[in-house]
Amino acid sequence: MIENHSAANSAPMRQSMPTPAAAIEAIPASQRVTRLLGERLELVEDLWETVLRSECPPEQAERLLRLKQLSDPDEADVTGAIVQLIREMDLAEAIAAARAFSLYFQLVNILEQHIEEDTYLDSLKNQENGPSDPFLPALANQTDPATFRQLFARLRSLNVPPAQLEKLLRTLDLRLVFTAHPTEIVRHTVRHKQRRVATLIQKLEQGSGLNCLERQGLRLQLEEEIRLWWRTDELHQFKPTVLDEVDYALHYFQQVLFDAMPQLRDRIRAALKLSYPDVEPPRDSFCTFGSWVGSDRDGNPSVTPDITWRTACYQRQLMLERYLKAVNELSDQLSISMQWSQVSPALLESLEMDRLRFPEIYEERAARYRLEPYRLKLSYTMERLRLTHQRNQQLADAGWESPCDGSAPPPPMGGSMAPAPTQELHYSTVDEFRYDLELIQDSLERTGLSCESLQHLISQAQIFAFCLASLDIRQESTRHSDALDELSRYLQLAVPYGEMDEAQRVEWLLSEIQTRRPLLPPTAKWSAATAETFAVFRMLQRLQQEFGSRICRTYVISMSHTVSDLLEVLLLAKEAGLVDPLAQRAGLLVVPLFETVEDLQRAPAVMGTLFRHPFYLALLGSDGGQPLQEVMLGYSDSNKDSGFLSSNWEIHKAQIALQRLAIEHGVALRIFHGRGGSVGRGGGPAYQAILAQPSGTLSGRIKITEQGEVLASKYSLPELALYNLETVTTAVLQNSLVSSPVDETPSWNELMGRLAARSRDHYRALVHDNPDLVAFFQQVTPIEEISKLQISSRPARRKSGAKDLSSLRAIPWVFGWTQSRFLLPSWFGVGAALQEELDQDPGQLELLRLLYQRWPFFRMLISKVEMTLSKVDLDLAHHYVQALGRSENREAFEAIFQSIAAEFGLTRDLVLAITGHSRLLDGDPALQLSVDLRNRTIIPLGFLQVALLRRLRDQNRQPPMSETSASSSDDGRTYSRSELLRGALLTINGIAAGMRNTG
């Protein structure tokens, strides 16, 4: 039987939670989201119960349903009853329970995504031309996301000049970067099944016109799909490769974003016409995408130059296949005959040029399309796309070190005429493809016609080009300095690079960058790490030569500390031909990533030194005539280093200082926000986070990471994707147009400085200064088991074998605390800092309440803490401590837990005092209902996880399939280590689905 320990003294810690029905009654009817969740939850729970009864033995199904029933707060002695029920389970039943609750949460996730989508669609249908409520909050203080139509109407009512808006729209530049940090642990296979289930649920919910038989048929299909899902393994059978991760991330482009982006363009244009009819809309590519998947090599030895090259080829392949399909559909649509419509001379002239280039296509199609010029033109276009696709495949197979002219020419399409070389016929750039499409569009418009499908295709070509998403290279700073040190020793410099001080390094680097003399001996032999560092830059040069600069123009330097960190990359780029010192041009944008608190504080000084060098300024790319500098700010490591409050304040201050510096030197600044999915890594609602950015620091430009774990919740459904993209855009416009002078209030900044310093001291006292914290984290969270989940090509630690916190990546750090329900990185230290301020002056509470009402930055901080606190379950966390902590650590671990519990109570009480809420999340009833539902239902999974982890960790060796008597249960059953690990990993899967934002 599965062993467990009761959680002593736990009942008082858990807050009582209303049942769904009671919660819904307590919320005003106007809250449509809460009503929909209550209504549709009945369907999901009914489906879940039906599947369990059909797939599990009757006794097992009853126990699983009883386990869920026990999570109802109306049940007496919840903890004891759950523990007793889990004790009665054998391993097979425990695994079934973990799978059942994981399935439940994933069904609820699908339900909530559809509700979000439906709510957004309703807002589009019901919105009026302008705001009718005269008491709406000022735009700078608005917290509810706005649509394009609502925002432009409000800007009009505020008399924002059309010229001001048009100037901003002209330079609007939003970049969303998908990252390879997959704490999203759902298999691709399961994701496809979820999509089918989601589609059927949507049909059933929206099918008001369905008759009884049709509804019954849909219901049976749903049960069938979920049963197939139940019999599918949730866990990856192998560790995913980098290219598996590439395929996973690109899934959202293929399924949703490719078709959604033209609709985003249409919506912003339509909204402008209503309020600002004379304002020119932004260019189609005002919102573009980047990716770290296949190019982020920081701590991931699996990301080689060959992998990045193959990633670029794969992305181009996907785009070419979509373009081929779209052009083929256009050919069916544009059946216009010259007998009934004029054709522009430019199009006719291009057809004559195409006839000479593609005589075999002319011979084959001319008779059929003799009077249908658009179809004939599209036939040539399809052939050029086919040849481009063929060349791309040849380059993917040959690798990045293949000759620049490609491989052998393609075989003839037919006929006896030998084809011209492939490179003369394929599309060498997306501009050539767009030119052909725009010729057709221009000809149609000259004759009074338009074609929406053609316009959408032109927009897609502008947004995605042939590369789909720009690849950002990322590497840790010491890799470059180590490579240059090895080079300097080979060249026998008087002072090796590794022994130079910072001033010497900067002087040497600048002198070498500005000369064309090669520095790298072509025949020298290097260590493996240095050889790969040099190879990355040669591969980059080859990528840009083949794909154009758009495929990969950004090089992010993680752990940037000094000026030399940036100059090192420029020197290596120069050696690869990516920097021309005489022309003072660079094909690479070097982006420092400032991560720790110390680095954030140093960032203005580092960038100021660089901006004072005219040569460096000349190498920056241009944005509207100004040099453009991109700077990345890291939320994850600064949070791990100093806690939530300190991290956010230092990032806020760094943005203001960097923007002032950029203005002083005439530089356009683009801030790249390295936000994670969880609050502890900068996550949270994007709209509020963007509005909370310091006033004047955006200017219509922003770059944001989209972590692997949030992709499904943001981009799995078309309208959900459009909602996310629209709200991000409106937030950037709103922040850029509506200034908020409160960021400059001296007394408020002084207060935040005190709070940040106190919070950091309290956080570091526990996390970095307590000698027992590392052991506590390793024992009472499933961190070691998380590292065994086959969810990422990337190691959990930066250095293999190291067990200290400095080597642990921020993602598993947050993931571990979330699984055990502490969620410590997202709130610890906040309460102590606030209390110290109030101890000095109790009257400061009124000021804190004022800041919450008036200052978007402070409101965002408190709101994130409030949301995170609502997900904490200290009695369950205490059970992890008691059951998983070793006996020799019991006293030390209990002291750590009591410290955490005291800080939790203090933080919760002060957050409630500042917000004026009587209960956490009272200001967001829909979120409160969702969190309550998840908090309740996730409890059995936590107890299951502890039971399985305890048994698993009791085995001190790698066991055979049958365990010795020492690991046998009271009923004589024996379990293998692999079986126990599988059960534990399934609980991690289920809790991740239930918590949603995991790492």
Side-chain angles (χ1 to χ4, degrees):
M1 286 179 286
I2 296 297
E3 200 172 287
N4 215 318
H5 286 197
S6 64
N9 305 318
S10 59
M13 292 186 188
R14 182 176 290 120
Q15 300 176 13
S16 63
M17 301 172 187
T19 62
I24 292 168
E25 289 173 7
I27 296 168
S30 60
Q31 296 290 341
R32 186 172 186 273
V33 175
T34 57
R35 189 180 71 251
L36 285 175
L37 181 58
E39 290 171 354
R40 298 183 182 181
L41 189 60
E42 185 178 345
L43 169 66
V44 163
E45 295 194 332
D46 189 38
L47 284 166
W48 183 70
E49 181 176 339
T50 301
V51 169
L52 290 187
R53 291 191 184 279
S54 61
E55 292 295 314
C56 302
E59 301 84 359
Q60 186 182 94
E62 290 302 328
R63 274 195 291 272
L64 293 179
L65 294 170
R66 174 61 179 155
L67 196 57
K68 181 176 181 302
Q69 183 185 1
L70 284 170
S71 64
D72 192 307
D74 292 337
E75 290 283 329
D77 189 20
V78 171
T79 299
I82 289 175
V83 169
Q84 183 58 41
L85 196 55
I86 289 174
R87 279 178 175 169
E88 295 171 5
M89 293 181 177
D90 61 17
L91 179 60
E93 192 167 347
I95 287 176
R99 297 186 69 227
F101 281 90
S102 176
L103 173 64
Y104 176 82
F105 286 122
Q106 291 182 68
L107 288 171
V108 171
N109 290 345
I110 290 171
L111 186 68
E112 291 189 335
Q113 287 167 10
H114 274 300
I115 289 173
E116 270 191 88
E117 190 178 50
D118 290 347
T119 305
Y120 172 57
L121 287 171
D122 282 349
S123 73
L124 294 178
K125 291 175 186 174
N126 299 330
Q127 63 190 4
E128 299 176 356
N129 288 336
S132 56
D133 184 357
F135 301 105
L136 284 171
L139 272 177
N141 295 325
Q142 184 170 323
T143 56
D144 292 332
T147 63
F148 290 132
R149 191 169 175 181
Q150 290 166 339
L151 176 63
F152 293 146
R154 290 205 65 186
L155 292 175
R156 190 57 151 175
S157 68
L158 293 172
N159 296 318
V160 172
Q164 183 183 357
L165 177 59
E166 185 169 303
K167 181 181 178 182
L168 177 64
L169 292 175
R170 199 160 42 238
T171 58
L172 190 60
D173 180 15
L174 315 181
R175 305 190 181 202
L176 303 175
V177 182
F178 287 17
T179 73
H181 294 248
T183 51
E184 167 56 69
I185 57 182
V186 180
R187 284 181 65 199
H188 216 12
T189 301
V190 174
R191 180 66 66 206
H192 285 306
K193 296 188 182 303
Q194 290 176 345
R195 181 174 288 278
R196 286 194 288 271
V197 168
T199 301
L200 288 168
I201 287 178
Q202 188 174 39
K203 286 181 180 178
L204 196 60
E205 290 296 338
Q206 296 178 350
S208 56
L210 296 176
N211 60 41
C212 183
L213 286 176
E214 289 170 332
R215 293 187 66 83
Q216 186 178 3
L218 282 174
R219 170 60 187 253
L220 290 174
Q221 284 184 59
L222 258 174
E223 290 178 17
E224 180 182 277
E225 283 292 347
I226 298 173
R227 290 181 68 185
L228 290 171
W229 179 355
W230 175 262
R231 298 192 191 190
T232 301
D233 199 343
E234 301 96 326
L235 299 178
H236 290 280
Q237 301 304 300
F238 54 88
K239 194 173 185 67
T241 66
V242 177
L243 292 177
D244 290 328
E245 293 176 343
V246 171
D247 184 60
Y248 181 89
L250 298 186
H251 164 83
Y252 297 99
F253 291 99
Q254 291 175 278
Q255 297 295 323
V256 176
L257 289 169
F258 186 77
D259 293 321
M261 291 308 294
Q263 296 180 56
L264 184 71
R265 163 195 172 277
D266 292 345
R267 289 183 183 181
I268 194 169
R269 286 171 178 258
L272 273 172
K273 281 185 180 178
L274 288 172
S275 299
Y276 288 92
D278 298 326
V279 167
E280 276 293 311
R283 64 192 189 284
D284 289 357
S285 56
F286 72 85
C287 179
T288 56
F289 297 90
S291 176
W292 282 8
V293 194
S295 58
D296 177 13
R297 54 219 338 109
D298 177 17
N300 191 345
S302 300
V303 181
T304 62
D306 181 62
I307 287 292
T308 303
W309 176 264
R310 291 170 65 189
T311 298
C313 291
Y314 182 43
Q315 290 187 178
R316 181 158 66 173
Q317 173 194 325
L318 292 183
M319 291 314 304
L320 290 170
E321 288 171 355
R322 290 304 302 257
Y323 292 146
L324 279 163
K325 179 183 177 184
V327 170
N328 187 53
E329 291 171 353
L330 269 179
S331 184
D332 287 341
Q333 189 176 358
L334 295 179
S335 56
I336 300 165
S337 170
M338 290 181 69
Q339 287 187 316
W340 310 113
S341 182
Q342 296 293 317
V343 179
S344 72
L347 180 59
L348 292 174
E349 184 180 340
S350 78
L351 286 172
E352 183 60 24
M353 296 294 295
D354 289 335
R355 183 182 70 81
L356 297 175
R357 281 191 294 183
F358 299 100
E360 70 282 4
I361 298 293
Y362 179 78
E363 291 295 329
E364 180 185 344
R365 306 286 174 89
R368 182 187 303 178
Y369 297 144
R370 184 170 58 88
L371 295 176
E372 296 178 345
Y374 297 106
R375 282 182 163 176
L376 185 58
K377 180 63 182 176
L378 290 170
S379 295
Y380 294 128
T381 302
M382 286 191 66
E383 177 63 7
R384 295 192 72 182
L385 287 171
R386 187 191 72 80
L387 293 174
T388 310
H389 187 277
Q390 182 174 294
R391 173 186 170 83
N392 186 68
Q393 188 59 54
Q394 292 167 346
L395 289 169
D397 294 340
W400 68 273
E401 295 178 284
S402 61
C404 296
D405 59 353
S407 302
M413 288 287 292
S416 59
M417 198 167 200
T422 305
Q423 61 267 26
E424 294 181 7
L425 301 178
H426 72 278
Y427 284 122
S428 59
T429 69
V430 74
D431 291 337
E432 295 174 3
F433 174 53
R434 278 178 45 212
Y435 176 77
D436 281 348
L437 297 178
E438 288 168 355
L439 270 178
I440 296 172
Q441 184 185 47
D442 178 68
S443 181
L444 289 172
E445 289 176 350
R446 284 172 180 265
T447 58
L449 292 175
S450 64
C451 177
E452 185 180 58
S453 300
L454 175 61
Q455 180 56 62
H456 280 185
L457 183 56
I458 292 172
S459 293
Q460 287 159 339
Q462 288 184 337
I463 296 163
F464 299 108
F466 283 160
C467 60
L468 191 150
S470 300
L471 292 172
D472 284 358
I473 302 292
R474 184 172 74 139
Q475 183 57 281
E476 201 264 334
S477 59
T478 58
R479 285 294 296 267
H480 313 121
S481 56
D482 288 348
L484 288 175
D485 182 52
E486 186 174 337
L487 170 63
S488 70
R489 293 177 191 276
Y490 178 89
L491 297 174
Q492 298 182 331
L493 295 186
V495 180
Y497 187 77
E499 296 177 15
M500 295 180 185
D501 61 27
E502 175 65 9
Q504 290 174 307
R505 287 187 175 194
V506 170
E507 182 182 2
W508 182 75
L509 290 165
L510 281 171
S511 66
E512 289 294 337
I513 294 169
Q514 295 180 72
T515 177
R516 270 188 164 174
R517 172 180 49 77
L519 191 64
L520 287 178
T523 59
K525 300 296 182 184
W526 311 106
S527 66
T530 296
E532 185 178 36
T533 298
F534 293 158
V536 167
F537 287 90
R538 295 200 310 274
M539 181 274 300
L540 274 176
Q541 192 275 338
R542 179 76 176 88
L543 259 183
Q544 291 196 4
Q545 185 179 30
E546 171 60 33
F547 291 79
S549 62
R550 182 167 169 179
I551 183 63
C552 192
R553 183 169 167 76
T554 301
Y555 196 109
V556 179
I557 311 166
S558 60
M559 288 297 164
S560 289
H561 310 296
T562 60
V563 170
S564 61
D565 289 332
L566 281 78
L567 296 180
E568 288 165 0
V569 173
L570 284 173
L571 176 57
L572 294 172
K574 187 213 78 169
E575 291 300 306
L578 290 162
V579 173
D580 185 339
L582 291 187
Q584 297 190 351
R585 286 198 305 267
L588 206 60
L589 190 61
V590 180
V591 178
L593 167 49
F594 298 108
E595 300 181 77
T596 67
V597 165
E598 288 75 13
D599 290 333
L600 288 166
Q601 292 171 344
R602 269 197 302 263
V606 170
M607 298 314 299
T609 301
L610 286 164
F611 289 164
R612 284 190 288 274
H613 284 282
F615 179 74
Y616 179 83
L617 282 181
L619 293 182
L620 295 179
S622 176
D623 181 76
Q626 283 185 302
L628 173 66
Q629 175 69 61
E630 186 174 302
V631 174
M632 186 172 185
L633 304 177
Y635 290 73
S636 303
D637 282 281
S638 60
N639 190 309
K640 180 167 161 274
D641 172 56
S642 65
F644 174 76
L645 192 60
S646 174
S647 166
N648 278 268
W649 178 239
E650 294 300 337
I651 289 171
H652 187 83
K653 286 198 304 178
Q655 285 186 79
I656 294 173
L658 287 168
Q659 183 59 44
R660 287 174 178 163
L661 184 72
I663 292 171
E664 179 185 338
H665 291 275
V667 173
L669 181 68
R670 178 166 61 227
I671 298 293
F672 185 1
H673 296 268
R675 303 174 73 234
S678 65
V679 168
R681 295 183 52 242
Y687 183 83
Q688 288 86 346
I690 293 171
L691 288 190
Q693 299 308 306
S695 183
T697 60
L698 295 189
S699 301
R701 286 183 296 268
I702 198 168
K703 192 171 177 180
I704 309 172
T705 52
E706 293 282 41
Q707 301 292 334
E709 69 172 289
V710 303
L711 296 182
S713 63
K714 288 186 174 183
Y715 300 109
S716 59
L717 301 172
E719 291 298 338
L720 203 58
L722 283 167
Y723 169 74
N724 178 64
L725 294 167
E726 183 166 354
T727 53
V728 166
T729 308
T730 55
V732 170
L733 291 172
Q734 198 167 318
N735 180 286
S736 301
L737 284 169
V738 183
S739 62
S740 177
V742 294
D743 285 314
E744 304 294 333
T745 308
S747 60
W748 294 8
N749 288 330
E750 290 166 9
L751 170 61
M752 276 307 307
R754 293 194 300 272
L755 293 175
R758 291 165 177 162
S759 174
R760 183 185 188 199
D761 290 345
H762 196 66
Y763 174 87
R764 290 189 64 86
L766 174 73
V767 171
H768 295 279
D769 300 337
N770 189 313
D772 298 306
L773 194 280
V774 173
F776 182 90
F777 181 67
Q778 289 175 340
Q779 290 179 38
V780 310
T781 77
I783 179 61
E784 296 306 318
E785 290 73 23
I786 287 169
S787 67
K788 294 179 175 66
L789 268 173
Q790 306 287 8
I791 62 174
S792 175
S793 67
R794 193 181 190 191
R797 294 184 180 274
R798 296 182 189 271
K799 300 174 184 176
S800 60
K803 294 294 184 181
D804 60 338
L805 290 184
S806 63
S807 69
L808 185 69
R809 294 190 177 279
I811 294 172
W813 168 252
V814 174
F815 205 167
W817 288 114
T818 304
Q819 287 278 316
S820 53
R821 301 301 299 280
F822 284 99
L823 286 87
L824 181 139
S826 304
W827 59 269
F828 191 86
V830 176
L834 291 169
Q835 187 60 57
E836 282 189 49
E837 183 68 24
L838 294 179
D839 287 344
Q840 297 289 327
D841 180 3
Q844 288 290 82
L845 180 59
E846 288 306 314
L847 177 59
L848 292 170
R849 288 171 174 165
L850 178 66
L851 264 58
Y852 179 74
Q853 294 296 325
R854 299 277 184 87
W855 194 5
F857 168 75
F858 189 77
R859 182 170 59 248
M860 179 268 298
L861 282 182
I862 297 299
S863 296
K864 283 186 176 183
V865 171
E866 182 181 22
M867 187 273 287
T868 306
L869 292 174
S870 72
K871 294 185 175 185
V872 173
D873 189 335
L874 278 187
D875 55 344
L876 192 52
H878 199 208
H879 180 61
Y880 277 78
V881 176
Q882 293 178 314
L884 298 178
R886 295 175 190 153
S887 57
E888 63 267 25
N889 301 121
R890 185 162 296 158
E891 186 176 340
F893 283 10
E894 184 63 24
I896 289 175
F897 176 80
Q898 292 303 329
S899 174
I900 294 171
E903 176 68 5
F904 172 82
L906 183 62
T907 307
R908 178 196 57 206
D909 293 345
L910 289 173
V911 164
L912 291 173
I914 290 169
T915 60
H917 298 158
S918 58
R919 184 167 171 259
L920 295 172
L921 298 181
D922 272 351
D924 191 342
L927 180 60
Q928 187 183 64
L929 179 61
S930 175
V931 170
D932 282 356
L933 169 67
R934 292 168 185 278
N935 283 351
R936 245 191 344 268
T937 317
I938 213 169
I939 292 168
L941 269 178
F943 285 109
L944 272 169
Q945 185 175 92
V946 169
L948 289 162
L949 290 177
R950 191 171 190 280
R951 171 60 63 84
L952 180 63
R953 292 175 181 181
D954 281 344
Q955 298 181 1
N956 296 320
R957 60 184 177 84
Q958 185 66 34
M961 285 305 294
S962 181
E963 300 299 334
T964 63
S965 58
S967 60
S968 299
S969 58
D970 296 339
D971 62 355
R973 296 184 179 90
T974 58
Y975 304 127
S976 72
R977 181 176 176 82
S978 60
E979 288 175 311
L980 288 166
L981 178 61
R982 176 177 176 75
L985 297 184
L986 283 166
T987 62
I988 292 172
N989 222 17
I991 292 172
M995 298 298 289
R996 292 193 80 172
N997 48 356
T998 53

